[in-house]
Every structure is written in C-alpha cells, then in structure tokens.
Amino acid sequence: MIKDAIRDVFKTISKKTDYVLLVTVLIILTLGIINLFSASRMEEVAAVPLYIKQVYWAMIGLFMMYLAISIDIRAFERWAYVIYCVTIFFLIAVLFFGERTGGATRWFSLGPISFQPSEVVKVAMILALGRYFQKNMPADGLRIRDLIIPIILALLPVILIAKEPDLGSAGLVVLIFGTVLLVVKMRTKTAVAFILAGVFSTVPAFIFGWRFLKPYQRQRIVTFFRPDTDPLGSGYHIIQSKIAVGSGQFFGKGYMHGTQSQLQFLPEQHTDFIFSVLAEEWGFVGSVIILILLSIIILRGLYIASSARDVFGAVVAAGLSIVIMWQSFVNIGMAMGIFPVVGIPLPFLSYGGTSLVMMLIGVGLILNVNMRRNIF
Amino acid sequence: MSGDSLNMNGPYRLVKVGFISVISVLLFLGLFARLWYLQLYMGDEFRIMSEDNRIRFVKVSAPRGMFLDRHGRIIVDNRPSFNVKLLTEYVEDIEVALTEVSALTGVDKTKLKANLKREREKNPKFRPLTVVRDLSRDNVAPLVSRIHRYPATELEVLPIRNYVHGPLAPHLFGYLGEIDDDDLELDKYRGYKIGDIIGKSGIEEHWDKEIRGKDGGIQMEVDSKGRELKTLGRLDPSPGNNLVLTIDFELQEYARRLMKEKDHAGVVIAINPQNFEILAMVSAPDFDPSTFARGITAEQWNALIKHPRHPLENKGISGQYPPGSTYKLITATAGLGEGFIDVDKKLYCPGYYRFGGRAFACWKSGGHGRVKIHRAIVESCDVFFYQVGYGVGIEGLARYGGSYGFGKLTGIKLSNEKVGINPSHKWKKDYFNLPWYPGETISSSIGQGYTLVTPLQLLVAFAAIANGGTIYEPKIVNKILSPEGETIKEYKSIKKGEVLISPENIEILKSGLYGVVNESHGTGWRARLEGRDVCGKTGTAQVIAGRMSSKYLPYELRDHAWFACFAPLEKPEIAVVVLVEHGGFGGAAAAPIAGAVIKKYFELKDISKN
C-alpha cells in the first residue's frame, strides 16, 4: 500500500519535472529551517519550538505541493473563480471573526492552527487572472475595457486586506497585479493608458492615503526616511537590522553566534527580520547564496512561463514567480534598510505556516505548468 | 477545450517574460550591491557597533489599571517594588557578585543563591536575573546610592499591586503571576511574551488585556562591561485602563468582617435585583493577594492549596451545594404554575409523608396539620412540598428550576464558574444510566436530592422573584475608564431570560417569603429589620442523611446553613444570599448575617443621602 503510494508520488514527480526548480526549493527550505533554529532558539520558551512547527508546516506544504503537481492544471483553471471566491469569503470573514493582534485582525484560528487569508489570496488572484486572460484575450492584445474585470479581481482583495489593516500586504498585491500586467500583451493605447494611470495615481494616492493611515503607519514611513527620530520604535528595528547585516561581514559570525540575533536586538527575528539573522551569522557568502537560490527559483519560474502551453499556464507561472520576486525583494530590502518595515514574510525562510504552505503550493503549480506543457 | 485561436497565436506571443526577467535580475543586483555596501564596505564599522557598543533595551513595566468601587473610590492600585537584578553575562565571578549583592541589600547569601538558581531555570540565557524581590524600603536608599559601582547589578523598579483596603475581595480581584508556557500557546495570549505578568484569576484574569497597559522601555548604549554610556531613547509605558466595579467597598468590607469574626467558611453575595449588579461578594476564608504581588513562595502556595477550607476557591461561583429548603421556591412555582395547587389549596401534614413503603418526615415531628401554601412557605413545611413536588413530577421541577437558571452558568465574567445540577430523567440517564425513581422526586422537592446549586445561582433565582421574574447576567464591572478618566466602555445589563411564573403567583411567593421573616413561627425571623420588610427563605442542606442535630456531629458532617432574601417587599433594592458551610440550621446561622448586611446597606444609603 504505502510502497505503491510512494511509487505513485515519484511517478507523478519524475514525469518531466523541472528538477532545477524543485531541488533549489528543497535546498532553500532546508537552509530556512536551519536558520530558523538559530533565530528562534533564544526567542521564546514554548512547548513546541518554532523550528519544529516550521518542520511540520514544511511537511504539510510539501504534501500540498505534491497535490498541486498531481492535479491536472486544467482543473485549477476550471475552479479558479471558485477558489478566488472562497478566499475572498475568508478575507471578509477574518474581518468579523479574526483574532485581534496588535490592532489588526489578520488571523483565523481553527483549533490549534491559525491561518492568514491574505497569504492565500495572492495565489487565488493569480489563478483568477490566468483564467480571465485565457478566455478573454484578443490575439492583438488587451484593450482598455479588457482590464476592467482584472482590476476588480485585484481591487477586492486589496480593499479587504487594507481594512484589516495590513497596508504592507495590500500594497504588495497592487505591486504584484501591476507587474503581472507587464507580462501580458497589451495594445499600445492600453499600455500608454496603463502607465499614465500608474504614474498619475501615485501622487494623489499618497496624499489621499496619508490621511487614512493610522498614526503608527505614518510613523513607520517617517522613520524609514529618518530612523533617528524613533530609535525605540520602527527606527530601532531598522538600525538594529542594519547592524546585524553589516556586522556579518564576509564570512559571518558563525552559526548560532550572531550577537545581534542571539541577544535579541532584532525584533520579529523569526518572521520579518529572518534575513538579518542569516546575514549576520553566514555573512556575505551565505547571503549571496540565498540571493542566488531565490533568483534561480524566480528566473526558472519565468522560463517555465515562457514555454507554457496556454495563456493560463503562462500567467500562473509568471504571476507566482512575480509573487516570490516581490516578497523576496521587499523583505530583504527591509532588512537592509532600503525599504520601510512592512511585515512581508520572506518566501521559504520566514516562520509562518500559511505563507510557507502557499509558497510551496505556488511552486507546485509552476511545476505543474511545466509538466503539462506538451499535453494537448 | 484548448482553443484553436489561442494555439495558433501561441501563448509566448501573448505573455512575454523577457522584460520582467530583466527587472528581477536588476532588483537582485540592487540587493547584492546593498549587501556589498553593508557587509564589505561598512562591515568593520557595523562589527564594532555590534561588539563593543551594545544597545541595551531595559523594559519599563506599565502599571496595571486601578480598580474603583461603584462610587469611584480606589480599592486597588499600584506601588513601586524594588528588585535587584544580576546581569550574569557581565559577571566574572558569581560568588563575589553574590557577596556584594548580599552586602548591599542585607539579604542572606544562601537565599540569593536559591533565587538565582530558580531564575536560571525559567529564563533564557542573557536575561538579567532577579535575585532580590521587593526589597524593603529601609534597604532601598543605601542601595540606590551605591549601586552604580556594580555595573552587573541593576535596580529594577516595578509597579506592583497595592491593595488599598487590604484583602477586601481577593476572589473578585484575582491574583497575578507569571505567564505559563502552556498559556503562551493559547490564542487568548497571542502577543504575550515569556516573563509577562498576567491575571491568573478573577477580574485580573478576565480583563487582563484591558488593564495590563503597554510596557515602555529605555534604550541605552552600554560598553562591553554593561556600563551605561548614554541613554538613546525612552518610551514611557502607558498605564492600563481602570475598571469601575459594581461592588460597594464598605458593604464588601462589612460582609467580609462578619464572616471572618465568626470564623465561618462560606459565602455572602449581595446584588441589586433590578439590574444584577453585584454589590458585595465574599468567599470565606480568603487569602491575601499581596503575597502574590510580592512573589509567592512555594511554601505559601502549598499552604493555600492544601488548606482544608479552600481559601483560593471563590465559593460563590465554584462551590456547589444542595439548596435545601430554599428550593421550595422552585417547587412552589412549579405547583402553582402547573395548577396542582392554588393560593387556597390545603394539603395535610401529619408530620410525615408515606410513599412506597417509606415515611418521609417533616422537620416538625408533630406535623403542621392542614396548611395552605402561605403557611407552608413561612413554616417551611416539608410534607406540603413533598406532595406538590410529587404532583408536578421531576420533569416539572426541572423545567421550572431551569427557568430560574439552575443547571446553567449565570454568565458572570469570572472563570471557574460551576453549573450545578438540575436533575431530570435525561440527566440521570446520562450520568448514571439509570431510570429516575419516583421516590427521588420527593427528596428533590425540598432540595435534598441530586440538586446542586452555586450560591450565585440561588441568589439569581431570588433576585428574579424580587424584580418580577427577569433574569440578568450578574455584573461585576460597570465601566472601563481610560487612564485619563474617559469612559471607554460601559457594561449594560444583559437580560438572560424570564422565570416561568405569572405576576399573581409572584405575589403569592413574595407574601410567603415576607412571612418567613416577619410572621410568627416564621423560620427566618432573625433577619427581621424594622421598616425594611425583608423577605427570604431559610435552608438547611444536609451533608449526611438523618435528623441528628448538628451540634452532636463533627464539623465536616454538619449541615450547611442557607439564607436567601431580598428587601424591601415593594421595589426591592438588594438581594442577599448567605451560605455558612457546616453552619447548622439556616435560620440560626445564616439569617442574622443576611439581616446585618441588609441593615448595613440601608445605613450606607442613608449616609450618602444626607
């Protein structure tokens, strides 16, 4: 029985699997857990240590990834809107029944596990966009009116996430959506309108949005530009994180020997600032390896998108690679002080069940697109 | 399904990733450049910052919110407590350091060692460890002037609980303690950190999030020896919100003293029957919550939990007792409601009631003769209620009892509330897998069967009769105030249900309860108050079967004494329940206490009026 099941797993996976992507993900996943062990060792004394929980999550994630590979990609296309609607439903429900932590309701508790719908919606949105473009794309590119439904598909989660409030994640969804539009073919007129709208909406959005920000959110933006004005709040995070990264130097201070992380100068070091721990202990060498691994995953995903058999597969593979790209860039940029502190997890490395599982599902979908590119 | 037009055009023409691949490479090159700058170009500087100069963050605990009584008088606030901490990471020789601390504080060195060992076990590495807790005031002044000479020693000033009027209502307030590892796993405590002080019971527990405030901190630059070089920043703690309780501190203290002076174990609860605000809630014996504030020792804790009279338990909500004759209120309601009796129906009491070959005795061996419901309540005639109870059956009793709130939580916002037992066929089937025997209905009808109530449940039933039949959720906190004194939240009365009783029948019961206290032969005459029209019912709950007078029994086998009442008859303002564990006859042990509490209530009211 079990033997058969295992053989089944391998059969599914071995069939035209992109081993470059799969192996890179497995390596980075392993490094992530090793790093998390060091990061969370001092942080809290709980019944189940964080890194063990992350191992459980990784196992769940790998299983889900296997499912995402083995189900025919056309099923995802068929069910894309349903998946999207269910996720939106959860985003609405979290506003009413979510757990309040730190002034925001982002979490659901289902018994012992809690999950964050805003992590799921990124994947769901990509699937829905893929399905829309698959069905509604004129051969000579998108017209302006073809963008109406995609904009609604993106705006709905953005508004709901902003309402939690989690402006960082909401902004990320906008960023992802905008970037996905860059990969689909548009008519010249559409592209010009899209770029103009993007440029001209930034300034008013900033001025208008400023009034809606909570004081702590304004504070974060101010302190990003002037960290010294708030050395105890988010300015503290930026200063300490930069010290951690910088003091790692070329070879790092050694595993579990990072003073910044082991003495807990870093806040949220198992989630938002996980990269700082890595950079401090593994130095420039380790950090560059991580950057290279992430780049391989992203570029490989984009390559798979380019050879997909249809628009749905291409948009899904490209979109998910874009999710990984932006999250990596924003999170690592945050740790090195070139981006404001926004609380975006680093794919495969930050502690967090929903994020990890969704990232692995995303990888599964990309692999799936690759595997079925020649099936007509 | 794979569209013809799509395949002809090919997705590669519609989706292009070249541009985005370039962007992603550029973004990562940007990160690479930044990494180069921070780690290689600026690396030496950051390495020095991380090693030689450390920025230390010292937590400044927020004071917990105060508790005020219903008239706004402070009953719980905070005082500073001075703790001495040792920064073991900067200590070279622990023996020397401890000798120094001992000389500084006057605390015995062996005790310091024991404290240090205990702290080591529960703290992660590098945390400053508390070796002396709550240093006496006399030792603080010399310490403050000399402590700067010992960089590895730190004086911590923590706000701790100060009970302005002593252990006034420890069960209501609850006590504090460090958060457990298991608690940290709970969703309720998401965002809490190890070492946090939380409410472990009572109001401190239930309103913890409201009153805990937000900790602040001082960020300072220290050298490698831990000496402070300069303060970089400071974040003042914000104090927690204050709570306005429903209790009246003078009435509470008076009731507490009454129980303490008589050395009773038991319960006194006073409530406003119109809105179920709790005016006083005493569980005796009690404990001194300030021992918890100072950090309780293992011996003190063991003494509390092993005490035979359970001082930590709030008996008003966690103690379950047979209601005894106070249950006749339910039997009477059921009899009247089902039409088995009316106000003029007479039943005969020869002093016993024969059923199934067994004689169930009345407490009065000669019997009461032919009595109507009024006299039956006044004189607490058992045989009358045996017949009524048998007439309506256990299902009838359970239905009416349930409408009074028996067998259900009252909903008071305190943990460890018990539900009691409101027996029925189904209950017995579920618990014992046995059928209900008719004989059990007979003892149930005078509150001696399986029925168990908490004192608060019984009070709720009597308060509902007092206000015309409405049950509310008992309330202990009226308002949440911000530290500046603005009202953040006001708790409204929450209606829980209506008792199954008509207004006419309420009047019949009320007149009976009035008679219990104010008529000749009434069992509750000791609670009588001139001009206050106290109405109540006595109860004596047997701990063991038999009719032996409690005087001849050992303490733990004596009957529990009950008295539940309200006053005045018209527009009642206060309802009181008194339970004296093993106190014997309810009319003798419990009624005088209830009477005294009511008397005090009206005295306080008159004073505040003038």
Side-chain angles (χ1 to χ4, degrees):
Chain A
M1 261 294 277
I2 296 167
K3 245 187 192 165
D4 287 350
I6 292 172
R7 195 175 315 131
D8 240 34
V9 171
F10 277 105
K11 237 187 188 164
T12 321
I13 290 180
S14 63
K15 223 176 14 185
K16 301 176 195 125
T17 295
D18 188 289
Y19 281 104
V20 176
L21 180 57
L22 182 63
V23 171
T24 313
V25 166
L26 292 178
I27 291 172
I28 203 165
L29 198 58
T30 314
L31 292 179
I33 287 164
I34 292 171
N35 186 45
L36 191 66
F37 174 75
S38 172
S40 63
R41 194 165 70 102
M42 290 297 160
E43 201 152 6
E44 58 180 290
V45 184
V48 186
L50 284 183
Y51 72 98
I52 294 288
K53 284 192 197 167
Q54 186 81 342
V55 170
Y56 293 154
W57 282 117
M59 290 195 289
I60 294 170
L62 287 172
F63 177 69
M64 301 290 273
M65 180 169 105
Y66 166 68
L67 289 185
I69 295 172
S70 32
I71 296 170
D72 192 324
I73 193 75
R74 279 171 297 193
F76 286 104
E77 187 186 330
R78 206 170 305 130
W79 291 92
Y81 289 153
V82 176
I83 295 170
Y84 178 83
C85 289
V86 170
T87 319
I88 291 292
F89 168 76
F90 276 119
L91 268 183
I92 295 170
V94 84
L95 293 176
F96 294 100
F97 309 110
E99 294 280 314
R100 272 192 87 76
T101 43
T105 41
R106 300 171 184 175
W107 296 89
F108 258 128
S109 288
L110 302 170
I113 59 169
S114 44
F115 97 113
Q116 207 175 355
S118 58
E119 289 297 325
V120 184
V121 83
K122 286 178 257 183
V123 176
M125 180 185 80
I126 299 284
L127 289 174
L129 287 176
R131 154 113 194 199
Y132 180 81
F133 290 133
Q134 167 78 27
K135 297 275 176 203
N136 299 290
M137 190 168 236
D140 49 346
L142 293 171
R143 292 155 297 185
I144 293 180
R145 67 182 137 129
D146 294 323
L147 284 178
I148 294 171
I149 291 190
I151 286 174
I152 293 172
L153 287 176
L155 215 55
L156 218 54
V158 168
I159 292 169
L160 290 170
I161 296 172
K163 202 136 178 74
E164 288 178 359
D166 184 354
L167 292 193
S169 296
L172 187 74
V173 175
V174 173
L175 205 55
I176 291 166
F177 176 67
T179 319
V180 168
L181 289 190
L182 290 180
V183 304
V184 290
K185 185 175 180 187
M186 288 186 200
R187 294 184 191 184
T188 324
K189 224 163 95 187
T190 319
V192 170
F194 168 64
I195 290 166
L196 286 182
V199 171
F200 282 106
S201 64
T202 317
V203 176
F206 200 75
I207 295 166
F208 191 66
W210 184 259
R211 300 173 50 191
F212 284 92
L213 294 181
K214 304 244 151 109
Y216 79 93
Q217 293 164 331
R218 293 183 189 181
Q219 185 64 35
R220 276 187 177 183
I221 294 174
V222 170
T223 50
F224 169 64
F225 294 105
R226 296 202 43 210
D228 49 313
T229 57
D230 182 21
L232 283 172
S234 42
Y236 173 82
H237 303 190
I238 297 170
I239 295 169
Q240 293 301 342
S241 179
K242 272 159 76 178
I243 294 176
V245 174
S247 64
Q249 294 187 301
F250 195 77
F251 287 113
K253 293 177 186 167
Y255 185 53
M256 300 208 286
H257 283 86
T259 51
Q260 288 288 105
S261 52
Q262 302 301 326
L263 297 179
Q264 293 180 52
F265 285 113
L266 293 170
E268 304 290 331
Q269 62 185 29
H270 57 274
T271 52
D272 295 356
F273 288 96
I274 193 75
F275 183 79
S276 321
V277 178
L278 188 127
E280 186 187 18
E281 298 186 348
W282 301 76
F284 186 71
V285 178
S287 308
V288 168
I289 288 175
I290 291 293
L291 289 186
I292 290 173
L293 289 173
L294 286 170
S295 306
I296 292 174
I297 293 172
I298 296 160
L299 293 175
R300 197 72 190 171
L302 290 172
Y303 165 76
I304 289 171
S306 72
S307 58
R309 77 181 168 103
D310 60 7
V311 173
F312 176 75
V315 170
V316 167
L320 293 170
S321 308
I322 288 167
V323 172
I324 298 173
M325 174 185 87
W326 278 123
Q327 287 203 191
S328 309
F329 179 74
V330 171
N331 178 285
I332 297 176
M334 190 169 81
M336 299 197 294
I338 54 173
F339 219 89
V341 179
V342 283
I344 302 288
L346 181 55
F348 313 110
L349 294 165
S350 283
Y351 172 75
T354 321
S355 167
L356 184 61
V357 170
M358 290 319 295
M359 281 301 151
L360 289 172
I361 289 176
V363 170
L365 288 172
I366 297 175
L367 289 171
N368 196 337
V369 169
N370 176 61
M371 219 181 293
R372 291 182 172 81
R373 65 186 160 188
N374 296 324
I375 307 168
F376 286 95
Chain B
M1 155 102 199
S2 35
D4 322 311
S5 59
L6 283 174
N7 282 329
M8 279 194 302
N9 293 304
Y12 43 88
R13 282 194 50 208
L14 290 174
V15 180
K16 292 192 176 132
V17 297
F19 180 53
I20 206 70
S21 306
V22 173
I23 289 185
S24 82
V25 169
L26 288 178
L27 287 177
F28 274 75
L29 281 178
L31 292 179
F32 177 82
R34 179 70 176 176
L35 207 54
W36 184 290
Y37 170 77
L38 288 179
Q39 295 191 309
L40 304 186
Y41 184 73
M42 296 280 286
D44 287 335
E45 244 166 88
F46 281 123
R47 181 59 72 98
I48 291 166
M49 273 169 107
S50 82
E51 280 177 1
D52 288 350
N53 287 295
R54 288 181 180 172
I55 296 167
R56 208 165 76 204
F57 193 81
V58 180
K59 188 168 102 175
V60 179
S61 297
R64 288 174 80 84
M66 298 188 290
F67 295 170
L68 306 138
D69 89 336
R70 63 183 298 112
H71 302 301
R73 294 171 290 197
I74 295 172
I75 45 183
V76 178
D77 60 4
N78 303 287
R79 68 172 171 86
S81 138
F82 297 89
N83 300 334
V84 179
K85 295 191 138 187
L86 206 57
L87 287 79
T88 44
E89 49 174 321
Y90 300 118
V91 171
E92 275 152 28
D93 186 340
I94 203 86
E95 285 293 320
V96 176
L98 286 181
T99 315
E100 282 168 7
V101 172
S102 174
L104 270 172
T105 59
V107 178
D108 193 44
K109 199 174 152 190
T110 45
K111 197 169 173 219
L112 293 179
K113 263 192 190 155
N115 288 349
L116 188 67
K117 187 166 171 270
R118 201 182 55 225
E119 286 280 308
R120 272 237 169 91
E121 280 162 11
K122 54 178 207 197
N123 281 295
K125 254 205 267 182
F126 303 120
R127 283 275 162 84
L129 303 176
T130 308
V131 285
V132 184
R133 222 174 255 285
D134 202 14
L135 193 62
S136 66
R137 282 194 167 268
D138 301 338
N139 287 329
V140 171
L143 182 71
V144 170
S145 61
R146 277 186 286 166
I147 197 158
H148 64 274
R149 287 188 224 159
Y150 305 94
T153 315
E154 187 178 279
L155 184 65
E156 174 190 56
V157 187
L158 275 184
I160 64 168
R161 274 301 193 208
N162 180 39
Y163 299 92
V164 180
H165 299 286
L168 181 66
H171 301 98
L172 270 185
F173 300 157
Y175 56 88
L176 300 171
E178 212 163 284
I179 190 163
D180 297 328
D181 292 353
D182 297 341
D183 289 340
L184 281 170
E185 295 282 297
L186 299 177
D187 282 325
K188 183 163 94 159
Y189 293 116
R190 197 191 284 280
Y192 286 58
K193 286 192 272 302
I194 188 161
D196 278 357
I197 300 294
I198 58 163
K200 294 276 190 173
S201 72
I203 295 171
E204 299 270 23
E205 179 190 13
H206 197 274
W207 276 270
D208 193 72
K209 281 214 162 95
E210 289 292 342
I211 60 183
R212 63 184 292 101
K214 210 165 174 289
D215 292 338
I218 301 169
Q219 193 191 29
M220 54 176 105
E221 209 176 301
V222 293
D223 66 11
S224 56
K225 283 261 183 299
R227 277 186 288 251
E228 183 178 343
L229 296 177
K230 64 174 179 196
T231 301
L232 294 178
R234 189 185 174 86
L235 186 70
D236 288 325
S238 36
N241 295 323
N242 299 327
L243 300 180
V244 179
L245 311 189
T246 60
I247 65 165
D248 179 307
F249 126 68
E250 284 168 287
L251 192 67
Q252 171 76 26
E253 179 61 10
Y254 180 76
R256 193 181 80 85
R257 292 247 154 131
L258 277 178
M259 294 298 275
K260 196 157 186 105
E261 276 160 17
K262 294 200 159 72
D263 193 28
H264 281 326
V267 174
V268 181
I269 310 174
I271 201 172
N272 177 348
Q274 303 303 336
N275 54 18
F276 282 36
E277 287 177 4
I278 289 180
L279 303 171
M281 189 172 202
V282 173
S283 177
D286 56 18
F287 60 93
D288 185 355
S290 64
T291 49
F292 287 90
R294 277 196 293 267
I296 192 165
T297 64
E299 301 86 71
Q300 284 170 322
W301 173 252
N302 281 332
L304 278 176
I305 56 171
K306 288 192 183 135
H307 194 291
R309 304 212 299 184
H310 309 293
L312 281 181
E313 183 185 69
N314 186 355
K315 297 184 172 71
I317 56 167
S318 306
Q320 306 183 94
Y321 309 88
S325 294
T326 58
Y327 189 81
K328 288 170 185 168
L329 181 79
I330 282 80
T331 314
T333 310
L336 291 167
E338 297 292 295
F340 182 78
I341 48 167
D342 59 30
V343 66
D344 291 320
K345 171 88 174 176
K346 284 183 175 167
L347 296 174
Y348 182 61
C349 166
Y352 58 86
Y353 178 60
R354 210 169 270 292
F355 180 84
R358 193 187 142 189
F360 290 83
C362 187
W363 66 269
K364 191 173 173 188
S365 40
H368 292 89
R370 286 167 61 76
V371 283
K372 294 185 192 174
I373 181 157
H374 183 81
R375 285 244 68 79
I377 294 175
V378 171
E379 296 185 24
S380 200
C381 172
D382 292 338
V383 171
F384 181 91
F385 287 103
Y386 289 147
Q387 297 174 56
V388 175
Y390 185 66
V392 295
I394 190 63
E395 291 303 308
L397 290 178
R399 197 163 76 250
Y400 286 90
S403 82
Y404 275 102
F406 286 10
K408 299 173 197 161
L409 296 176
T410 66
I412 190 169
K413 292 195 171 64
L414 292 173
S415 47
N416 295 326
E417 189 187 3
K418 298 276 166 46
V419 289
I421 294 170
N422 183 28
S424 60
H425 288 210
K426 185 176 179 308
W427 173 83
K428 200 175 172 202
K429 188 89 191 135
D430 290 348
Y431 274 78
F432 296 109
N433 199 21
L434 283 174
W436 184 267
Y437 301 117
E440 292 169 337
T441 308
I442 290 166
S443 40
S444 290
S445 57
I446 62 157
Q448 298 290 28
Y450 297 108
T451 313
L452 290 179
V453 295
T454 67
L456 185 62
Q457 280 177 328
L458 191 67
L459 179 61
V460 161
F462 275 76
I465 283 299
N467 71 24
T470 309
I471 290 180
Y472 301 95
E473 193 178 285
K475 196 160 74 163
I476 41 173
V477 172
N478 257 341
K479 270 189 269 187
I480 301 177
L481 300 179
S482 72
E484 292 76 33
E486 292 154 39
T487 303
I488 292 174
K489 180 169 180 168
E490 199 158 353
Y491 290 93
K492 299 263 175 324
S493 294
I494 299 168
K495 193 175 154 180
K496 298 264 287 185
E498 293 275 351
V499 177
L500 291 171
I501 190 168
S502 67
E504 301 76 49
N505 289 345
I506 286 188
E507 289 314 311
I508 297 170
L509 293 183
K510 274 184 157 180
S511 112
L513 297 175
Y514 174 81
V516 169
V517 180
N518 298 290
E519 287 175 14
S520 54
H521 304 293
T523 53
W525 60 271
R526 284 182 181 87
R528 202 177 294 170
L529 279 176
E530 206 57 54
R532 298 302 183 193
D533 294 348
V534 178
C535 310
K537 182 75 195 80
T538 54
T540 307
Q542 288 178 3
V543 174
I544 53 161
R547 286 278 152 198
M548 202 190 286
S549 171
S550 279
K551 274 186 287 195
Y552 307 114
L553 285 168
Y555 173 80
E556 66 277 9
L557 297 180
R558 288 180 204 164
D559 299 342
H560 297 314
W562 280 109
F563 193 68
C565 60
F566 55 86
L569 177 62
E570 301 301 331
K571 295 206 184 102
E573 295 171 33
I574 180 168
V576 177
V577 68
V578 174
L579 168 81
V580 179
E581 280 187 355
H582 312 297
F585 175 54
I593 295 175
V597 169
I598 292 175
K599 187 162 172 240
K600 182 74 180 175
Y601 169 82
F602 284 109
E603 276 172 23
L604 291 171
K605 196 181 153 198
D606 289 345
I607 292 167
S608 67
K609 245 190 222 160
N610 295 333

